[in-house]
Amino acid sequence: MNIELALAEELKNVLHELYQIDIQADASLVQPTRKEFEGDLTIVVFPYVKLARKAPDMVAKEIGDRLCERMDALTGYNVVKGYLNLSVADGYWLERLREGFADERYGLFAQREEAPVLIEYSSPNTNKPLHLGHVRNNLLGHSVSQILMACGHPVVQVNLVNDRGIHICKSMVAWLRYGNGETPESANIKGDHLVGNYYVVFDKHYKEEQAELIAKGLSEEEAAQQAPIMLEAREMLRRWEAGDPEVRALWEKMNQWVYAGFDATYARLGIHFDKTYYESNTYLLGKSLVQEGLDKGVFQRHEDGSVRVNLTDEGLDEKVLLRKDGTSVYMTQDLGTAQLRYEEFHPGKMIYVVGNEQNYHFDVLKLVLGKKLGKPFGDSIYHLSYGMVELPSGKMKSREGTVVDADDLMDDMFEEAKQSTESLGKFDFQPDEAAALYEMVGLGALKYFILKVDPAKNMLFNPAESIDFNGNTAPFIQYTHARIRSLLRKAAEQSVNVADALPDGLSPEGEEKLIVKKLYQYPQVVLAAGENLSPALIANYVYDLAKQFNHFYQETPIMRETDAAKRLLRLQISQWVANTLRNGMKLLGIDVPERM
Ligand code: ARG
């Protein structure tokens, strides 16, 4: 048991004995003592003052006396205005260092036997390559998955591809009309970009055709409806739904191009899925769930023929679940997809990482499945909603001029990393090694900058700021890691064995102790990040740790220390910091270099 929890347990007992106050023993009742005060752990007594009917400082003193009597790890306390600051024996921190410094899996909890958390993220449409919004989505989904796994939860990562509908038919029509048989190989571009280009081509011709019709006297709406290219796309969709083999074959072919492109982007981002769902496979199950709702009388057939669900009692409105022509809408497939996932994995929780423009959609999904259809998994649905991400204006106009392409962005980050690393000089890397480093630093910068922000907030991604070696950035943390690894290599060269046992009686002091205490908190931070689904907690922790270590390293000799025991202690602390930086960054999907 960690000391916070042990203390909270004793606090519970002591409060009961002294004042008959009953509380829940929760580790969060015990905070690290603020730097300006003496002590290691602090308990705030204000919540108990009223029931104890004594002055705050008196209450703190009575609690402090009892706690110190009961717990060997405590050596004393002081009271500052209702804050009870407790001191922990030095030997305690020495033990923590001994346990922690060589633990490669520090901060990773053993996997529990429980229903998995199913997490859906990315979920692109097949008519366009991934863009900056998907990048935030992918990074969040990947990181939250890593964090949950670190907390010991079994996790199933899934993707959902919107592979059917009018959007992909538009790309297909444009390719048939204007493509001359072009393929990703013949054009030498990624398949997702190729198909995305034809989506743009469609739009261009569609606009032209509309303008012609308007010039002939049609209204805007009529023109939009009647433009020949649009009629072709609709016809294509109709044939698709009817299972026309020719259309299906083309659809199959173009979607495969797109998937190959997505796979390359995912691989570069370092993410993978345990399973990919396709809307074309789930919408029919969705339709059957709509029928189920009709049969149960919880959905209604509207006079225009559409099927709707009335959610006005829940503070929402009426929502269409099937169009009047019987075709499915976006919601239809989500009903089926959720059901399928439940049957396949029996998850305890289903997390959907999707932008906040779909908040309403997920409110409805949860209500329809839970309250209306009475599905056991309705309540387990959780929408992890995130805000927009933009680049500073003028940065990286994409080929369409509006959205920022994910692949282009990664190329750009590679270049940024290259330039800033080269500008630091002193570089003796082989070309391959250098390229791997730029990729690690460039992508690390991108990931960290996005993940350190609370997902709910809109944000600006600033490439130059993200790569600043002295800021709250991945490169700063990566550099700190590389510095420690170089220190440890130097120790090995001088035949110092960092794994040697520390002598008794020696304890971390001053900044050493502060770092050990910080390191000791890491597993709790991982748990908190898992509870809150918050990579930002990990990012902030890792940054603080790196900053703290750098300060220590500047002030304190390590290899120059002549007392061998002290040198060993500092090396072990350093190694523990390096491991923790590496493990923490891994939870953000970021690698750290051995040297840089
Ligand atoms: N493909 C959708 C879009 O691009 C996002 C899907 C989100 N996931 C879901 N289960 N509805 O807007």
Side-chain angles (χ1 to χ4, degrees), residues 120 123-125 160 162 279 330 333-334 352 354 358 361-362:
E120 180 209 293
S123 300
N125 300 343
L160 170 69
N162 181 357
E279 292 191 13
Y330 177 44
Q333 63 72 33
D334 257 328
Y352 293 76
V354 182
Q358 296 196 25
H361 175 82
F362 284 97

Side-chain angles (χ1 to χ4, degrees), residues 344-363:
E344 287 179 343
F345 296 104
H346 288 280
K349 188 168 184 173
M350 296 205 254
I351 300 174
Y352 293 76
V353 184
V354 182
N356 59 11
E357 69 281 359
Q358 296 196 25
N359 286 354
Y360 188 78
H361 175 82
F362 284 97
D363 288 345

Side-chain angles (χ1 to χ4, degrees), residues 85-322:
N85 303 318
L86 297 150
S87 297
V88 176
D90 287 343
Y92 182 83
W93 300 118
L94 179 64
E95 278 316 305
R96 300 292 80 73
L97 175 60
R98 282 174 168 160
E99 274 169 20
F101 83 95
D103 181 0
E104 293 291 324
R105 290 180 44 86
Y106 186 59
L108 296 175
F109 293 82
Q111 182 158 330
R112 313 176 202 204
E113 290 285 336
E114 61 181 25
V117 179
L118 187 140
I119 176 165
E120 180 209 293
Y121 61 99
S122 202
S123 300
N125 300 343
T126 53
N127 59 326
K128 282 179 196 162
L130 303 179
H131 56 69
L132 182 54
H134 290 111
V135 170
R136 190 175 196 186
N137 181 316
N138 292 335
L139 298 182
L140 268 172
H142 175 75
S143 179
V144 167
S145 304
Q146 301 309 304
I147 291 169
L148 289 172
M149 287 189 257
C151 293
H153 302 291
V155 173
V156 183
Q157 302 177 74
V158 303
N159 193 357
L160 170 69
V161 182
N162 181 357
D163 59 340
R164 64 176 280 277
I166 192 74
H167 60 277
I168 181 70
C169 290
K170 289 180 181 175
S171 296
M172 287 155 65
V173 164
W175 184 82
L176 280 178
R177 270 208 197 178
Y178 306 107
N180 294 316
E182 189 179 47
T183 66
E185 292 74 35
S186 76
N188 193 24
I189 68 172
K190 281 176 79 219
D192 51 337
H193 290 179
L194 183 102
V195 172
N197 289 347
Y198 282 100
Y199 190 73
V200 177
V201 168
F202 176 94
D203 223 46
K204 184 174 134 249
H205 287 277
Y206 182 35
K207 288 210 178 86
E208 286 169 11
E209 291 182 7
Q210 286 180 74
E212 279 169 32
L213 293 178
I214 290 169
K216 283 187 190 153
L218 269 64
S219 75
E220 267 183 35
E221 212 193 311
E222 286 165 342
Q225 294 292 330
Q226 292 171 29
I229 196 164
M230 185 52 117
L231 296 178
E232 281 175 46
R234 288 239 173 72
E235 173 61 9
M236 184 80 87
L237 181 59
R238 195 198 57 74
R239 285 170 64 192
W240 184 92
E241 299 222 339
D244 179 322
E246 210 182 312
V247 170
R248 288 287 176 126
L250 175 63
W251 172 75
E252 201 61 61
K253 176 165 78 178
M254 289 181 73
N255 272 341
Q256 290 308 324
W257 291 345
V258 174
Y259 301 147
F262 285 168
D263 284 348
T265 306
Y266 290 146
R268 191 170 177 191
L269 274 172
I271 68 182
H272 102 280
F273 300 98
D274 300 309
K275 165 139 197 178
T276 297
Y277 289 87
Y278 299 90
E279 292 191 13
S280 60
N281 285 334
T282 64
Y283 80 107
L284 291 175
L285 179 57
K287 281 187 175 186
S288 75
L289 285 168
V290 175
Q291 187 57 47
E292 185 182 319
L294 275 175
D295 296 343
K296 284 186 174 162
V298 291
F299 303 156
Q300 294 77 39
R301 193 173 294 281
H302 194 257
E303 56 198 24
D304 69 4
S306 62
V307 177
R308 304 183 178 192
V309 58
N310 188 334
L311 298 169
T312 46
D313 284 352
E314 326 289 340
L316 306 180
D317 57 14
E318 204 181 43
K319 181 87 190 166
V320 173
L321 299 176
L322 273 187

